[in-house]
Amino acid sequence: MAYTRFTGIINNDNQDQLAYNTVTAVTNEATLDRLNGKVVSSVANLAAGAVNTLTLNNSLVKATSEVQASVAYEGDGLPLLLSVTPKDGEIIFKVTNIDDTDALESAF
């Protein structure tokens, strides 16, 4: 399964927010109010050299939050996580396909 995974380091004592969930983005946007989880992109065929921006809405995130993220993908193309930008209430992920010729074959 192709996915984007994030872990937000946020000071919060609510144990329910530690539960791991998976969401699928719709039109490059998803909502997940948890400290960690998996986000599946809404883009299934990112062209060679193209950049995709995915917004994750998360009420626990602050602009000062530390976020760890990675991209997992199997198939043609080669996605690279360019940046992860936390803002109050959201995280912005930018992913590019660094393959010279092949588009991605599925969501990442």
Side-chain angles (χ1 to χ4, degrees), residues 18-105:
L18 297 175
Y20 182 90
N21 278 351
T22 299
V23 294
T24 300
V26 176
T27 318
N28 292 321
E29 189 169 336
T31 299
L32 180 60
D33 290 325
R34 297 281 188 258
L35 294 178
N36 62 73
K38 179 168 72 173
V39 182
V40 179
S41 73
S42 58
V43 174
N45 57 352
L46 188 62
V51 176
N52 177 251
T53 300
L54 187 147
T55 300
L56 179 68
N57 299 304
N58 185 321
S59 63
L60 305 175
V61 174
K62 305 295 180 216
T64 56
S65 295
E66 296 178 28
V67 179
Q68 298 174 350
S70 63
V71 175
Y73 173 80
E74 293 183 22
D76 289 343
L78 187 57
L80 174 72
L81 183 62
L82 289 176
S83 65
V84 178
T85 307
K87 298 182 176 188
D88 289 343
E90 66 183 20
I91 304 170
I92 309 295
F93 299 94
K94 289 197 177 193
V95 177
T96 187
N97 178 3
I98 61 173
D99 195 287
D100 289 336
T101 56
D102 292 327
L104 301 184
E105 297 175 313

